[in-house]
Amino acid sequence: MIRHGFILLTFCAAITGYTVAAAQERRPIAWDGLGQDPNRPPVTKRRVVNQAPAASDPNRERERVLATLRPYSDAWWAVHDEIEAENDRQLGTKLVICPRCVPPPSEDVTGSVR
């Protein structure tokens, strides 16, 4: 009986030693902060090229005209609305919304969304 207990104890110790050794291999390495963090994979940096304002920017001429008009007059508001519409159009070309993120419109829904 003692012999079976000794064999079982040896077997359990061997398995425990293996799992501890495997867990230690996957443990994060200490980082002193002076070099690269060994726990993070290297990241390739991308350079973002600043785009120069387009020479054919339609709002540039509109802003010049807007500066010459009397503030808040009908003509001023017309040019201001054109500038805002162009800004919205440019933003709409850059803005990407995931189709799954926006629920489809429903005709029977009224009030706020909760």
Side-chain angles (χ1 to χ4, degrees):
M1 184 76 170
I2 294 176
R3 192 172 125 213
H4 292 296
F6 181 72
I7 292 173
L8 182 63
L9 182 64
T10 306
F11 180 72
C12 291
I15 291 177
T16 305
Y18 174 74
T19 57
V20 169
Q24 287 177 351
E25 291 175 9
R26 287 181 255 150
R27 215 173 62 190
I29 301 170
W31 179 43
D32 60 0
L34 299 176
Q36 292 183 351
D37 184 358
N39 301 317
R40 296 183 68 193
V43 178
T44 57
K45 295 183 180 180
R46 297 181 187 172
R47 286 191 171 186
V48 177
V49 178
N50 292 337
Q51 296 177 349
S56 63
D57 184 17
N59 281 343
R60 185 171 291 177
E61 184 61 33
R62 289 181 182 132
E63 289 173 358
R64 287 184 191 140
V65 171
L66 189 67
T68 62
L69 297 173
R70 186 172 56 104
Y72 307 110
S73 65
D74 290 337
W76 186 91
W77 279 111
V79 174
H80 179 268
D81 291 342
E82 289 176 5
I83 292 172
E84 291 298 316
E86 179 64 25
N87 288 340
D88 290 344
R89 187 195 63 76
Q90 289 176 358
L91 180 63
T93 60
K94 296 176 187 175
L95 184 65
V96 177
I97 299 176
C98 172
R100 292 176 290 156
C101 298
V102 180
S106 177
E107 296 178 16
D108 61 340
V109 176
T110 58
S112 64
V113 178
R114 283 196 154 201

